[in-house]
Amino acid sequence: MIGVFDSGLGGLTVLRSLANRFPDVTFCYLGDHANVPYGNRPSDTIVEFSRRGVEALFARGARLVMLGCNTATAVAARRLQQSWLPGSGWTGYNVLGIVAPTVEAATQTPWAVTTPQYPQKFNSDLIAVFGTTRTITSGVYREEIRKRCPKVEVLQQICAHLAGAIEDEASRDELDGLVKEGVTALLEQTKGGVPDRAILGCTHFPLVDDLFRTHLPPATRILSQPQLVADSLEDYLTRHPHYLGGFHPQPRNLTMLTTGDASEISSRARIFWPDVPQFEAVEIGLLPGARNKG
Ligand code: DGL
């Protein structure tokens, strides 16, 4: 079983892509609706919320958890992988994030390669990145792209209220206004240049990708993060098939968990994914004593 963790509904864009790509794999999704949005929270809080979410998914049988959230990935992935996991007792379990596949696609460079190669070292494209406050201030996209392609210009734009507005089911007009504001602010930074590629660096944003398409210049290609994450996971699971093990507590392929109100979240989720199974409410942080670490 594979776990997918997000602060709220945005990770559904990732889960949906993964569920389509791997129809025989069991997934467990956890949305931390009690604490959404994460994007303007302090880093330590995001790390702690993400750790609790990951651990709750491990405890329910996922050996591998995908942080289906750019904010959690940008702020917490490395800390969880390097500082928490090795001493946590969860031997044989792993956490992945969604920044790496996106940077790989943006730079056409494998994540393991961290220095400029030919022809990447001559790549002088302009890449636009939109994200939450915490994702953008982490600088993770700029840093990881420029390590591999130092001549690429990375322009970043905080869209501080967009994920929250999507979660709150703001009207299309309101969402359109927020997207337009973000794109306009980014284009002001280009001084007339046209971004070659745009990264919608928040898993909520594909839910309004049509609005980004409308406001970005036609020549700007929008990278589809959910699809890139599925491509990357396919490659990862080919190399690490044992992560498909673990126990499957329920006889179905998709288990949907929320720290919020299950019936309210279930009906909101259907706006974004009509066939999404019903959510169940869970309390995370109160972990069951019986961990399966086999
Ligand atoms: N979906 C998340 C992301 O990708 C975060 C949204 C939020 O909780 O602020 O950044």
Side-chain angles (χ1 to χ4, degrees):
M1 180 163 93
I2 293 178
V4 177
F5 176 73
D6 181 55
S7 58
L9 290 173
L12 290 180
T13 58
V14 173
L15 176 71
R16 193 175 182 178
S17 170
L18 297 183
N20 284 337
R21 182 69 63 89
F22 306 100
D24 300 326
V25 172
T26 297
F27 288 95
C28 183
Y29 181 87
L30 173 58
D32 190 9
H33 291 94
N35 295 305
V36 72
Y38 281 11
N40 301 319
R41 290 185 181 277
S43 298
D44 285 347
T45 308
I46 296 169
V47 173
E48 182 52 17
F49 286 166
S50 304
R51 182 201 60 76
R52 287 191 324 192
V54 166
E55 204 158 18
L57 287 163
F58 284 169
R60 282 167 177 79
R63 283 180 187 273
L64 182 66
V65 172
M66 173 70 70
L67 297 175
C69 175
N70 286 273
T71 309
T73 302
V75 175
R78 194 163 287 174
R79 278 171 68 179
L80 294 181
Q81 288 158 344
Q82 294 178 3
S83 307
W84 171 69
L85 199 50
S88 67
W90 293 103
T91 310
Y93 290 69
N94 205 3
V95 183
L96 297 178
I98 58 176
V99 169
T102 315
V103 168
E104 286 185 326
T107 60
Q108 292 298 300
T109 311
W111 186 248
V113 176
T114 54
T115 52
Q117 310 288 308
Y118 179 82
Q120 288 90 332
K121 62 184 173 185
F122 298 115
N123 181 348
S124 57
D125 284 352
L126 183 55
I127 298 182
V129 183
F130 300 91
T132 64
T133 305
R134 206 53 68 205
T135 296
I136 297 301
T137 56
S138 78
V140 67
Y141 277 109
R142 175 175 279 159
E143 185 191 324
E144 296 295 345
I145 289 171
R146 287 178 58 89
K147 240 188 238 172
R148 295 161 177 87
C149 299
K151 294 200 167 132
V152 162
E153 195 173 350
V154 182
L155 297 175
Q156 309 187 93
Q157 182 58 46
I158 292 172
C159 300
H161 305 296
L162 186 53
I166 293 169
E167 285 282 336
D168 292 344
E169 291 180 76
S171 68
R172 290 294 285 178
D173 276 358
E174 197 179 326
L175 295 174
D176 185 59
L178 289 170
V179 171
K180 186 174 178 190
E181 188 182 295
V183 171
T184 306
L186 184 121
L187 293 177
E188 272 164 16
Q189 299 179 53
T190 69
K191 301 185 188 84
V194 171
D196 296 281
R197 294 182 284 296
I199 295 173
L200 305 188
C202 171
T203 50
H204 288 67
F205 296 176
L207 297 165
V208 289
D209 58 359
D210 56 323
L211 302 178
F212 276 96
R213 183 65 284 159
T214 307
H215 295 295
L216 280 165
T220 303
R221 188 161 65 88
I222 298 178
L223 297 181
S224 170
Q225 194 175 44
Q227 191 191 321
L228 297 172
V229 172
D231 293 344
S232 166
L233 186 63
E234 190 168 351
D235 177 56
Y236 184 83
L237 290 174
T238 307
R239 290 180 288 114
H240 305 278
H242 58 282
Y243 283 120
L244 289 169
F247 61 92
H248 300 228
Q250 282 155 335
R252 57 185 149 120
N253 282 339
L254 287 178
T255 300
M256 309 299 295
L257 305 175
T258 174
T259 57
D261 179 306
S263 67
E264 184 207 329
I265 299 305
S266 298
S267 75
R268 281 211 266 134
R270 276 193 283 278
I271 298 168
F272 304 117
W273 184 3
D275 301 330
V276 71
Q278 192 78 13
F279 277 78
E280 295 161 35
V282 284
E283 277 191 46
I284 63 172
L286 299 175
L287 283 174
R291 294 173 177 177
N292 181 335
K293 299 186 184 183

